[in-house]
Each structure stands twice: as structure tokens, then as C-alpha cells.
């Protein structure tokens, strides 16, 4: 099960074909590509370039672990909790492949250091750290005959993480299907679709599956400033599937509930802590509060790799991203207006101008501070159900899950899915 041939066999059996122009595998039914693929022969990681979507469908590739982590993951060429977990696993595999150590113990030491760097590039989604830890735990518990043996083991585990994400999204959508029916109008936030996983997606995959089974659904997709994943990625993805979708900006939720009769909300997650709190894209907590007030069911869909049973919500890091993400659209507008002659040379080039911005944490020193947290945390009280690949849970039941129980459930699903491949 752990060789390149098997990965390709699984992809082909699931209707994926290699698209040489794109350098990625594409689902021949939906036309949607995988978000990433590791080419063992070339020793390169290929990522669907989500910074270019929806304007251009193109891949970005690298054979350098640091570039994969910093440009690929932190730069959000690949994004979404599950996809960055798998990309992190392959970054570590690349880090291992380029090792030039004189002994296995030296190689392990370097690999653990590189693992720390990889997990730090996007600290909130636990999937990244989970994938790195999973590989490091595997190599910690084994003896290796050579450096080549170590490299093979790391790559095999990364492939396993890739395939599991691919397979388990199917059980996630099967688990979520029962909660959606014809006539539903579902509000979603950010992109928790195929693009946020290896393939298939978490939240959106349930809606796509329900739609492909003939349920008449409408999706309302929030723009999700500042990077607009809802407007760019979710619209692109749902449009390829053909689901009727309404695009709204982030401040149109209450009005849209009234106008479109939104009767369910469904989002993904970047981390679900033992106390049943859900960390997800900034703005999630706002709509969860509205859902609670309006008595609209609020569902969260996620992979088991998003669970963080070792922590409570107050203990997790929230990623703050560059202020330029917030002002980028204004920069483009200024450039556009200047190019059209609508602004003179006297106009500013950026708003707010650099010299008006302060990074100080002390409000007394603020000129203009741009605050850009990437995630917020929703209390479990606002969440109706958490749909996982291993089952559907109330937030208060998350604390009863144990790693042993999860592993047992996962291996049962994987075994049953892979029984036809031998
Ligand atoms: O910053 P992003 O685009 O990586 O954030 C993505 C989200 O918040 C998704 O909702 C989340 O990762 C769940 S999708 C598997």
C-alpha cells in the first residue's frame, strides 16, 4: 500500500487522470484537480496554485523543503487545514531527501529541527503540526539500516497521509449527508471544499455529494475578506459542480437570511479542541452567534486530523497575517484608477500609506493599526453538530474521544476502502 504505484492505482481507480498540461491529477467526472501531488520520480511536490485561482488553473512545483513550507504553505499556494497538513508531510519528506548527514542520529536531529520550522509556518490549523508529528513519531520508533531506508520511510508515511485524507473525506461526506435535504439554503464561509483538502473537501463535499444525488440545494457563500476564499475559491469550485450559489460580502448575512431563507450553516475547521470549541476562518464565530440567535442549525465538518484533544481553546495560537493582505484590494484600485487617468500622480500609492501605519501593540501609539487575525474561535454552545470522518458528534462529546478509539475507527475505514486494491 505504501508505494507510488499504489497511490496511482488508488487515484486511477477513483477516476483520476493525469493532466500533463497542468502536471496534476484531475477527476474525470468533475474536472476538479487534486490540490497537490508528490512525484517520486522527479522528487518534486506539485501544488495547485490557489493564489492564481479562479483566474488561472495552474500548478506550482518545488523540490526544496524550505520553499515548500514558506512559499507553498505560508504563501498560501496551498491552503485549507487538511491540504496544508498533507503539504507539510511532503515538505518534511523533501527535507529528508535533501539530508546529507554522516549518521542516522545526526539525520534525525536535523529532521526534527526542520519539522519545527515546517509546523511553525501556519500555527493555527493543527493538521500541519499533526502531520509533522505523525512522521517524526514513526521514525522515532524505528531502526534504520541506512539513510536511504530512513528517506523511504518518511516518504511512505507522507504518501499514507495523502491517501488517508483522500479516502476519509468520502466517509466525512457520507456522515454529513443525513443532515441536508432538498430545499435547504446553506450559508458557508471561506473555502472548506476540495481545494482545502487533497481532494473532495470537508464541508462543501457534503453539499456537492447531496447535490450530485439530486437534492436541490442552494449555497450562500460569504466573500471572506481579506483573502476572499469564499468569493474566489468556493464560487469556482461550486460552479464546476453546478450548485446554485449566491455570493455575498461579509456584512450581508442578516439581510441574506431574510432574503434567501437560509436554514442551515456549514463551515470547516482548523482545530477542534477537547472542550468542543471550533477554530476556523476569521468571521466564523460571527455567523455562529447569528445562527444561535436565529435558531438556525450550525454545523462544522472536519477530518479527525483537525482534532486537538490535548488542548483547550484558550491554549492555541491564532495566526496573524500581513497587513498588506487587508489593503491589497485598495492598492489594486489605486493602480487601476491611475492607469485609467481617474487619479493624478499626486494620489497615494497605498491606503493607508506606510508612514501612517503602526505596528505598536499599545493603543496610545496607534496612528492606524491594521489588525489581521486569520482565525477565530467559536464556543461549542453555538455548534449544533460536528461532522467528522469517524462520525457525527455534539461538541460536548468531543472530550470523550481518545486517540485509541479514533485510530481504531480510522483503520477500519481505511481497511475496508483498500480491500479491493491488493
Ligand atoms: O487561511 P485558510 O484559507 O487556510 O483557511 C481555511 C479555513 O479556515 C477552512 O475553513 C478550514 O481550513 C477548513 S477546510 C478543510
Amino acid at each position: 500500500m505504501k508505494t507510488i504505484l499504489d497511490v496511482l492505482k488508488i487515484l486511477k481507480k477513483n477516476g483520476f487522470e493525469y493532466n500533463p498540461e497542468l502536471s496534476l491529477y484531475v477527476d474525470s467526472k468533475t474536472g476538479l484537480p487534486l490540490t497537490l501531488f508528490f512525484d517520486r520520480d522527479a522528487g518534486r511536490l506539485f501544488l495547485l496554485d490557489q493564489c492564481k485561482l479562479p483566474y488561472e488553473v495552474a500548478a506550482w512545483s518545488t523540490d526544496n523543503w524550505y520553499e515548500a513550507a514558506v512559499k507553498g504553505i505560508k504563501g498560501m499556494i496551498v491552503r485549507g487545514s487538511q491540504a496544508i497538513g498533507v503539504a507539510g508531510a511532503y515538505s518534511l519528506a523533501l527535507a529528508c531527501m535533501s539530508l546529507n548527514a554522516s549518521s542516522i542520529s545526526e539525520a534525525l536531529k536535523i529532521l526534527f529541527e526542520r519539522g519545527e520550522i515546517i509546523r511553525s509556518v501556519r500555527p493555527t490549523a493543527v493538521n500541519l503540526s499533526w502531520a509533522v508529528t505523525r512522521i517524526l513519531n514513526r521514525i522515532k520508533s524505528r531502526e534504520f539500516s541506512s539513510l536511504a531506508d530512513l528517506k523511504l520511510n518518511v516518504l511512505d508515511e507522507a504518501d499514507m497521509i495523502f491517501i488517508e485524507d483522500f479516502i476519509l473525506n468520502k466517509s466525512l461526506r457520507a456522515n454529513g449527508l443525513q443532515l441536508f435535504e432538498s430545499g435547504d439554503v446553506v450559508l458557508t464561509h471561506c473555502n472548506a471544499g476540495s481545494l482545502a483538502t487533497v481532494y473532495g473537501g470537508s464541508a462543501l463535499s457534503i453539499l456537492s455529494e447531496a447535490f450530485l444525488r439530486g437534492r436541490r440545494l442552494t449555497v450562500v457563500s460569504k466573500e471572506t475578506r481579506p483573502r476572499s476564499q469564499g468569493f474566489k475559491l468556493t464560487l469556482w469550485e461550486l460552479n464546476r459542480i453546478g450548485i446554485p450559489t449566491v455570493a455575498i460580502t461579509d456584512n450581508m448575512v442578516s439581510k441574506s437570511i431574510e432574503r434567501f431563507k437560509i436554514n442551515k450553516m456549514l463551515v470547516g475547521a482548523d482545530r477542534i479542541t477537547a472542550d468542543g470549541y471550533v477554530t476556523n476562518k476569521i468571521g466564523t464565530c460571527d455567523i455562529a452567534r447569528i445562527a444561535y440567535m436565529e435558531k438556525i442549525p450550525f454545523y462544522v465538518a472536519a477530518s479527525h486530523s483537525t482534532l486537538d484533544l490535548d488542548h483547550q481553546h484558550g491554549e492555541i495560537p491564532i495566526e496573524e497575517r500581513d497587513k498588506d493582505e487587508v489593503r491589497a484590494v485598495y492598492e489594486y484600485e489605486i493602480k487601476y484608477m491611475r492607469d485609467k487617468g481617474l487619479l493624478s500622480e499626486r494620489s497615494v500609492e497605498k491606503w493607508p500609506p506606510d508612514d501612517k501605519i503602526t505596528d505598536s501593540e499599545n493603543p496610545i501609539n496607534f496612528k492606524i493599526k491594521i489588525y489581521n487575525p486569520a482565525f477565530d474561535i467559536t464556543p461549542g454552545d453555538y455548534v449544533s453538530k460536528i461532522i467528522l470522518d469517524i462520525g457525527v458528534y455534539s461538541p460536548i462529546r468531543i472530550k470523550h474521544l481518545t486517540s485509541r478509539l479514533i485510530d481504531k475507527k480510522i483503520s477500519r475505514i481505511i481497511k475496508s476502502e483498500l480491500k479491493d486494491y491488493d
Side-chain angles (χ1 to χ4, degrees):
M1 168 42 223
K2 294 172 200 147
T3 68
I4 180 74
L5 269 181
D6 293 327
V7 169
L8 293 183
K9 208 159 141 189
I10 293 164
L11 291 178
K12 286 191 177 137
K13 196 153 179 186
N14 280 277
F16 282 75
E17 275 166 19
Y18 186 67
N19 179 329
E21 221 174 291
L22 184 57
S23 312
L24 281 173
Y25 282 81
V26 172
D27 184 343
S28 32
K29 285 194 295 290
T30 61
L32 281 175
L34 295 177
T35 54
L36 73 163
F37 183 72
F38 190 83
D39 182 334
R40 279 199 184 214
D41 293 336
R44 291 188 84 78
L45 176 63
F46 288 82
L47 303 176
L48 175 67
D49 191 339
Q50 299 196 37
C51 293
K52 290 190 177 157
L53 281 175
Y55 316 121
E56 186 184 347
V57 184
W60 175 89
S61 82
T62 184
D63 61 0
N64 179 301
W65 73 273
Y66 190 73
E67 197 176 53
V70 173
K71 258 184 130 171
I73 300 174
K74 193 180 173 68
M76 291 179 70
I77 290 174
V78 61
R79 33 85 30 217
S81 53
Q82 290 172 228
I84 65 172
V86 183
Y90 283 123
S91 303
L92 195 63
L94 284 172
C96 189
M97 284 162 67
S98 64
L99 270 179
N100 222 341
S102 55
S103 65
I104 298 287
S105 63
E106 192 200 345
L108 290 183
K109 186 174 168 288
I110 299 172
L111 212 51
F112 273 73
E113 285 163 7
R114 292 182 177 178
E116 286 314 306
I117 295 172
I118 295 168
R119 69 168 106 234
S120 72
V121 294
R122 293 209 69 193
T124 303
V126 75
N127 316 63
L128 177 57
S129 191
W130 168 88
V132 169
T133 303
R134 175 166 157 171
I135 294 179
L136 294 178
N137 280 349
R138 169 170 170 157
I139 58 179
K140 230 173 17 191
S141 64
R142 293 191 185 190
E143 301 269 311
F144 299 101
S145 53
S146 62
L147 208 52
D149 185 25
L150 169 70
K151 292 180 181 182
L152 201 62
N153 266 270
V154 170
L155 203 45
D156 281 349
E157 193 65 20
D159 271 354
M160 200 60 202
I161 291 172
F162 171 94
I163 283 300
E164 282 185 16
D165 192 76
F166 181 83
I167 290 173
L168 291 165
N169 287 337
K170 293 190 198 183
S171 22
L172 190 154
R173 54 182 170 262
N175 292 339
L177 264 184
Q178 48 173 312
L179 298 167
F180 295 89
E181 56 203 16
S182 266
D184 280 347
V185 182
V186 186
L187 180 76
T188 188
H189 183 54
C190 193
N191 172 271
S194 193
L195 294 169
T197 67
V198 163
Y199 184 78
S202 53
L204 293 188
S205 88
I206 300 169
L207 303 179
S208 305
E209 184 69 17
F211 178 78
L212 293 171
R213 287 175 185 228
R215 295 182 205 169
R216 286 179 303 98
L217 300 173
T218 306
V219 179
V220 179
S221 175
K222 282 179 76 217
E223 182 182 18
T224 321
R225 283 277 289 146
R227 293 190 69 101
S228 304
Q229 291 94 326
F231 194 73
K232 300 202 288 190
L233 307 179
T234 297
L235 286 194
W236 180 79
E237 195 176 318
L238 294 184
N239 187 252
R240 289 201 87 111
I241 306 282
I243 306 184
T245 309
V246 181
I248 60 169
T249 62
D250 293 319
N251 48 355
M252 297 177 183
V253 174
S254 294
K255 182 69 192 152
S256 302
I257 290 175
E258 190 188 302
R259 168 70 176 79
F260 299 107
K261 309 275 175 279
I262 291 167
N263 67 332
K264 283 170 191 168
M265 297 192 192
L266 174 65
V267 299
D270 291 84
R271 198 185 286 233
I272 300 168
T273 38
D275 50 4
Y277 279 55
V278 174
T279 304
N280 190 46
K281 179 52 57 191
I282 188 78
T284 300
C285 186
D286 303 2
I287 57 171
R289 285 178 204 272
I290 296 176
Y292 188 74
M293 284 187 70
E294 299 286 336
K295 302 192 173 40
I296 295 173
F298 188 87
Y299 299 120
V300 173
S303 149
H304 72 287
S305 59
T306 312
L307 294 172
D308 179 359
L309 302 176
D310 296 332
H311 293 103
Q312 308 286 312
H313 74 277
E315 299 165 337
I316 66 169
I318 296 292
E319 176 184 1
E320 275 193 37
R321 295 186 61 87
D322 200 290
K323 57 188 174 307
D324 285 346
E325 284 188 345
V326 177
R327 58 180 181 161
V329 292
Y330 304 105
E331 207 175 316
Y332 297 134
E333 185 173 55
I334 293 164
K335 194 177 170 324
Y336 173 83
M337 288 176 78
R338 273 188 170 198
D339 290 351
K340 293 265 175 215
L342 298 168
L343 287 175
S344 76
E345 290 305 310
R346 281 182 293 116
S347 58
V348 292
E349 284 180 10
K350 284 180 177 176
W351 182 257
D354 283 332
D355 62 352
K356 294 238 184 289
I357 293 181
T358 174
D359 281 329
S360 167
E361 288 302 323
N362 184 351
I364 204 94
N365 298 326
F366 289 179
K367 291 186 257 181
I368 296 173
K369 182 176 174 68
I370 296 179
Y371 179 47
N372 186 19
F375 302 96
D376 62 22
I377 304 177
T378 299
D381 286 350
Y382 300 147
V383 177
S384 313
K385 289 281 177 216
I386 296 177
I387 306 159
L388 296 175
D389 40 16
I390 51 168
V392 179
Y393 298 86
S394 296
I396 47 163
R397 280 192 53 220
I398 293 294
K399 61 174 175 288
H400 300 303
L401 290 170
T402 59
S403 333
R404 243 181 94 203
L405 183 72
I406 296 170
D407 287 350
K408 230 166 114 188
K409 284 176 183 271
I410 295 298
S411 68
R412 204 178 310 135
I413 302 169
I414 300 285
K415 240 191 220 148
S416 118
E417 174 73 22
L418 294 183
K419 65 180 181 317
D420 303 333
Y421 289 92
D422 296 328

